[in-house]
Amino acid sequence: MSSTPAAREPDDRDPNGNSSYGHKPFKRSRSHFADRITADGRDGWPVEAGRYRLVVSRACPWASRALVSRRLLGLESALSLAVADPLQDDRSWRFTLDEGGRDPVLGIRYLSEAYEAREHDHPGGVSVPAIVDVPSKALVTNDYQQITLDLATEWTGLHRPGAPDLYPERLRDEIDEVMEGIYRDVNNGVYRAGFAGEQGEYEAAYVDVFRRLDLVSERLAGQRYLVGDTLTEADIRLFTTLVRFDAVYHGHFKCNRNKLTEDPVLWAYVRDLYQTPGFGDTVDFDHIKQHYYRVHTGINPTGIVPLGPDLSGWLTPHHREELGGRPFGDGTPPGPVPPGEEVPARGKP
């Protein structure tokens, strides 16, 4: 989690980082490592099957974008996956879910080791998603705003047959405009509300969140997807916030004007996406709740994780197909989740 000029989260390496949430102004820092992995390798990092490893936390909405994109595009065999423990400590995201507490490919215990291999004493925190160069075990990029765009446009030579075009050139201006408002007011807005240290700061963010959600709800009332009649990057970016809304943002971040389940349009839209291969099969509700409620001790000092909400509604009919639209355009759905990447039963409805 972390990035862009709009704000900065507490440094993951700061011993007071977790407890400082809600006690100092919230800023999300710009990605320090913004190299791009491209088809022509112009930044020194050419697209190459098997060379890179994507490090994520299933708790993190920014990392979840990359999880969804990778699945939809069929890049699982080309870009391997490391899943960090949702409970990072003051040394950063850690690989305690793996045998021996080490990532089996990179051989490291903490993601911070890949950051240090790239630049010793680098500024900023240790964030996910991160793409690491396997041969050198050094970080390549943590620019979450660009990573998924490049997976869609630069990694095309490794896409599966039938992969959707998630960033079609003819729609990019509209996609960018829609994503900008959603990022500012929703993706980042819930954090501005949740980590606000003053009443006025919180109220301003709260107003922005629900003003934008109302606009998005109006937009989606008559069309199945945000832009055009197929899935795009814009839908991925909205989904990763909406899927967390009732579980953590409504209560933990005090975005409580209404639950997502109380907006018929948005609730149907996000269920439609959740039930689409490549979306819901990347979501771990257990990791999401464990991370937010146990790591953000500044705003939940007891560390108590709520038992709710009831997840059974995620699998109920949504009827969004009645609006038309073709989720994958002229393409096809992704195949089954690769062995070893399945979300455990406790994280699913």
Side-chain angles (χ1 to χ4, degrees):
M1 296 175 164
S2 195
S3 269
T4 99
R8 183 176 190 276
E9 290 187 47
D11 191 330
D12 289 332
R13 300 170 302 171
D14 179 355
N16 299 314
N18 294 339
S19 62
S20 66
Y21 292 113
H23 296 281
K24 63 182 182 180
F26 171 71
K27 284 185 72 72
R28 186 176 300 287
S29 58
R30 184 188 298 272
S31 294
H32 179 65
F33 299 98
D35 286 3
R36 295 175 59 190
I37 300 171
T38 57
D40 63 7
R42 55 187 176 274
D43 284 357
W45 306 105
V47 170
E48 184 179 328
R51 175 170 175 177
Y52 306 101
R53 189 155 176 82
L54 174 65
V55 181
V56 303
S57 163
R58 292 193 188 273
C60 172
W62 319 106
S64 292
R65 296 176 176 183
L67 278 170
V68 174
S69 179
R70 174 177 173 270
R71 280 278 293 130
L72 294 177
L73 299 173
L75 289 170
E76 294 101 324
S77 62
L79 178 63
S80 66
L81 180 68
V83 178
D85 191 315
L87 304 180
Q88 86 265 47
D89 63 22
D90 293 324
R91 281 198 57 184
S92 84
W93 300 98
R94 53 190 184 164
F95 297 106
T96 48
L97 302 179
D98 294 301
E99 185 176 353
R102 292 183 182 274
D103 177 78
V105 172
L106 299 173
I108 58 178
R109 293 185 180 274
Y110 294 91
L111 180 56
S112 58
E113 296 174 54
Y115 277 68
E116 288 294 310
R118 173 68 187 275
E119 182 180 326
H120 185 60
D121 290 334
H122 64 90
V126 176
S127 62
V128 288
I131 297 184
V132 178
D133 177 50
V134 173
S136 66
K137 298 180 173 56
L139 180 77
V140 176
T141 177
N142 68 345
D143 188 352
Y144 73 93
Q145 295 281 52
Q146 189 63 45
I147 285 173
T148 49
L149 296 180
D150 283 342
L151 291 181
T153 61
E154 297 289 338
W155 290 64
T156 53
L158 297 176
H159 287 181
R160 65 178 176 87
D165 185 353
L166 297 174
Y167 196 47
E169 195 162 358
R170 64 184 178 83
L171 296 176
R172 286 181 189 176
D173 287 346
E174 185 179 0
I175 291 172
D176 290 346
E177 181 182 3
V178 169
M179 292 194 305
E180 195 279 330
I182 287 172
Y183 167 77
R184 183 184 62 246
D185 297 334
V186 179
N187 301 146
N188 201 47
V190 293
Y191 282 86
R192 288 169 43 228
F195 293 152
E198 298 177 355
Q199 187 70 29
E201 184 183 349
Y202 158 72
E203 290 183 6
Y206 174 104
V207 169
D208 287 344
V209 168
F210 286 101
R211 177 182 58 83
R212 182 65 58 180
L213 286 179
D214 287 344
L215 291 171
V216 171
S217 183
E218 291 174 14
R219 182 184 185 94
L220 288 168
Q223 61 189 66
R224 190 172 180 183
Y225 303 112
L226 281 169
V227 182
D229 67 348
T230 64
L231 292 164
T232 69
E233 176 78 13
D235 296 295
I236 295 173
R237 295 190 181 196
L238 180 58
F239 172 79
T240 58
T241 296
L242 294 187
V243 79
R244 289 162 172 76
F245 201 88
D246 288 5
V248 290
Y249 301 144
H250 178 271
H252 185 57
F253 278 0
K254 305 180 183 68
C255 295
N256 61 356
R257 190 195 73 179
N258 58 269
K259 295 177 181 177
L260 193 67
T261 54
E262 295 166 348
D263 182 311
V265 172
L266 292 181
W267 179 223
Y269 166 78
V270 75
R271 285 179 4 253
D272 185 7
L273 295 184
Y274 184 85
Q275 294 171 32
T276 298
F279 283 84
D281 54 32
T282 70
V283 175
D284 190 323
F285 285 105
D286 179 61
H287 277 206
I288 289 168
K289 293 200 300 183
Q290 291 294 325
H291 173 79
Y292 281 88
Y293 287 104
R294 294 180 63 186
V295 170
H296 299 161
T297 54
I299 54 178
N300 188 39
T302 65
I304 293 174
V305 181
L307 292 177
D310 178 12
L311 300 178
S312 59
W314 285 97
L315 302 179
T316 59
H318 51 75
H319 305 296
R320 293 282 294 179
E321 67 278 358
E322 295 172 7
L323 293 172
R326 303 172 301 142
F328 302 101
D330 294 328
T332 57
V337 176
E341 293 189 11
E342 304 93 342
V343 173
R346 65 181 176 272
K348 299 187 289 188

